Amino acid sequence: MKRYRNLAAIAVVTTISLGTFFTKVVLSESKLPKFYLKTENGDSKYVKDLVFNAGYGQDGNRGLSITTAGSEYNSNSILSDLNNDYYDLKKLSDLQNEERNFMRGKASSSSQFYIDKDFAWYANVKGGRLNGAYTDKNNHFKLYIDGLDRQSKDRYTFKLDIPGEENFSYISVQDVQLIGKDIVVTTSQNKTYKNVNSGAYVDQNENVVYRINVNQKKIVNQTVISKSTNDPNNHTHTEIQNIIQESDPTVPSKYAIYKKANLKDTTQENGETTTEEINSELVLFNLETGKNEALNLSKEQKEQVKQSNELIDNGNLYFVNQDDKGLSILKYNLNDKKVEGEPLLITKLSNNPSNYKIFNGKLYAFTSNNENQKAINKKLLIADLSNGHIIYEGKIDVKNIKGNTSKALKKLQVYDFLTK
C-alpha cells in the first residue's frame, strides 16, 4: 500500500512541476514582441502563404516564424524534441497529414522529395560507422528510395548500392525528379585525396546524377555533372551553388542547375584572408537527355550574366543583377532555350535588398534598414516580372508594442522567407 502511495505522490509532484513549467513558459512568451507582416499597399493575397524565418534577441538565439497573422516562437524546451513533424514547405506538412504512413521517419529537407498530383518520391542516403561518425572511406553508404502512388496508394520501397561509395566521406541528396518512369537522384559527394605532386590533402566535391529504373530497382546510369576542389597548396577552392534548391525543389524539373565559381584566397599583411573570384560558369544538365546544355545567349548577354545571381521559377531561369539603379532581371525560357524580351529594370529596389526570390513570375524582395536607430524598418516589396510594376508593399511590425517599435525590430534578424 505504501508503494502505491509513493507512486501517487510522485505523479502529483510531476503534474505540479509540469504545470509550473508550462505556466512559466506561457508568461515568458507573453512578454516577447508579437511580430507580423503588415500590408501597406497592394493585395495581401500575394503574402497569405508567406513565412519569414527569423531570430530574436541580442544574438538572434530565439527562433521564430512570422506571417501576416502574427509570430510563433520556437520552443527552447526539451519537450519540443517530441515534435519532429516540421517541414520547410507547407505541401510537405499537408502530405504528412494526408499520408502519415508514407511520411513516417522522413527527413525534413524538401530537396529529398519529389511531389506531383499522382506521385510522391523520397530519396535518402544512409551510412557511417556504428557510432554515427564518418571516415574518409568505407562508410557503407546505401541509397534508399521510397515512392507513393497517390491515387492507388501503392508503395515502391527499396535500397540500392552506390557505385564507388567506399571512396567518399559523405554523400547527401540534393534533388529528386521523376523523368518518364525513372527516378533521377542528384547527390553531393565529398572525398579527400592526397596530391601526388604537393603532398597536400585535397577535398573534392562531386555532383552526381543517378538514373534509377523503378521496375528493375537498379541504377541504370550514373553521371558526374560537376566537380569542385579545395587545394590548400595553391590557395584555391571551388564553390558550387545548387540553383534548384533556391526555389521549391519538390516540383517537376527536367534540369539540374549549378553555379560553379573558382576562387583564390590571398593572405594580407595584417593576417586577414581575402577571396577573389577567378571565373564562374553555369552548369545546365538536362535530366531527360543526360547531357550538358549550353545557354543560348548573345555575347553581350553572356557578359551581363557573369556577375548575376540565378533564380529558377516555373521552367524559367532568371539572371538578376544589382546596382545603384535597381535590380535588372533577364528571363531565360528553359523549354524554348532562349531569352524572352529585354532585361527588366526595377528602380524601386535600388536600396540593396538583403534577400530576394521569385514565386510564380513575381519577385519578392526583402530589405532591412538598420542605419537610423530611431526608425528601423524591415520591408517587403513584390514586383510583377511581366511589366516591372510594384504590386505589393508591406513591412514587419509589432502588435503588442505602442509607439516606436525600433527597439524590438533592432533585435529581430530575418534569415529567410518562403511560401507555405
Side-chain angles (χ1 to χ4, degrees), residues 1 4 89 251 309 331 343:
M1 191 69 177
Y4 292 112
L89 291 176
V251 301
N309 290 321
K331 179 180 178 182

Side-chain angles (χ1 to χ4, degrees), residues 146-364:
D146 194 355
L148 171 70
D149 186 319
R150 301 181 71 179
Q151 308 305 321
S152 68
K153 305 303 179 183
D154 290 340
R155 289 281 293 274
Y156 309 89
T157 306
F158 53 94
K159 68 177 179 179
L160 300 166
D161 293 328
I162 301 175
E165 58 81 21
E166 66 276 5
N167 297 316
F168 293 89
S169 59
Y170 191 71
I171 302 177
S172 62
V173 173
Q174 297 276 294
D175 188 43
V176 181
Q177 292 295 329
L178 178 64
I179 304 295
K181 294 184 178 180
D182 293 339
I183 294 299
V184 177
V185 178
T186 305
T187 62
S188 175
Q189 307 189 178
N190 215 77
K191 66 180 176 182
T192 303
Y193 64 90
K194 192 173 184 178
N195 188 312
V196 294
N197 296 321
S198 66
Y201 284 92
V202 178
D203 287 327
Q204 178 172 292
N205 183 270
E206 298 178 359
N207 293 110
V208 186
V209 172
Y210 296 96
R211 195 177 190 99
I212 301 162
N213 185 295
V214 175
N215 292 328
Q216 298 177 21
K217 297 181 180 178
K218 64 181 289 188
I219 296 172
V220 294
N221 187 265
Q222 165 184 359
T223 306
V224 178
I225 60 174
S226 66
K227 289 183 180 180
S228 64
T229 57
N230 182 7
D231 191 342
N233 193 58
N234 57 20
H235 306 288
T236 61
H237 64 280
T238 307
E239 292 183 354
I240 293 182
Q241 176 190 7
N242 185 352
I243 305 301
I244 296 294
Q245 284 187 336
E246 299 296 314
S247 56
D248 178 358
T250 68
V251 301
S253 174
K254 68 177 184 179
Y255 287 97
I257 307 174
Y258 290 85
K259 185 166 188 178
K260 183 177 179 181
N262 296 314
L263 309 168
K264 185 175 181 62
D265 299 324
T266 304
T267 303
Q268 306 297 321
E269 291 182 0
N270 60 6
E272 294 183 356
T273 300
T274 59
T275 300
E276 177 188 4
E277 182 177 300
I278 302 170
N279 54 57
S280 66
E281 64 174 317
L282 200 66
V283 179
L284 192 66
F285 186 81
N286 190 314
L287 299 174
E288 291 182 341
T289 63
K291 296 179 180 179
N292 283 328
E293 284 187 6
L295 289 169
N296 184 20
L297 299 174
S298 67
K299 186 176 180 180
E300 182 183 358
Q301 289 167 343
K302 288 179 180 178
E303 288 298 317
Q304 289 176 352
V305 304
K306 276 186 177 180
Q307 302 300 321
S308 68
N309 290 321
E310 291 77 27
L311 298 171
I312 190 169
D313 174 64
N314 292 336
N316 295 306
L317 185 62
Y318 293 88
F319 298 94
V320 183
N321 285 286
Q322 185 173 326
D323 58 26
D324 55 3
K325 296 180 180 178
L327 286 184
S328 174
I329 302 168
L330 183 67
K331 179 180 178 182
Y332 185 91
N333 189 306
L334 290 169
N335 293 322
D336 296 338
K337 298 179 175 56
K338 66 177 183 178
V339 170
E340 290 189 355
E342 296 296 320
L344 184 67
L345 181 64
I346 303 176
T347 56
K348 198 162 186 176
L349 292 173
S350 59
N351 54 343
N352 298 325
S354 57
N355 195 359
Y356 50 80
K357 297 185 179 184
I358 296 176
F359 303 123
N360 297 317
K362 296 170 182 62
L363 178 78
Y364 288 62

Side-chain angles (χ1 to χ4, degrees), residues 64-132:
L64 72 155
S65 58
I66 303 170
T67 66
T68 54
S71 57
E72 182 177 344
Y73 287 85
N74 303 336
S75 173
N76 289 334
S77 76
I78 59 173
L79 295 178
S80 65
D81 294 336
L82 299 175
N83 180 12
N84 296 318
D85 296 339
Y86 172 79
Y87 292 97
D88 54 0
L89 291 176
K90 184 176 183 295
K91 65 169 67 175
L92 291 178
S93 297
D94 292 342
L95 186 63
Q96 205 255 350
N97 292 329
E98 297 166 9
E99 304 291 348
R100 287 196 170 272
N101 189 44
F102 172 72
M103 294 294 284
R104 186 172 292 116
K106 289 181 170 52
S108 61
S109 173
S110 56
S111 62
Q112 294 177 251
F113 289 87
Y114 166 90
I115 301 174
D116 63 24
K117 62 182 180 64
D118 296 315
F119 291 96
W121 288 93
Y122 173 82
N124 192 23
V125 173
K126 296 180 182 178
R129 300 303 175 91
L130 293 176
N131 61 359

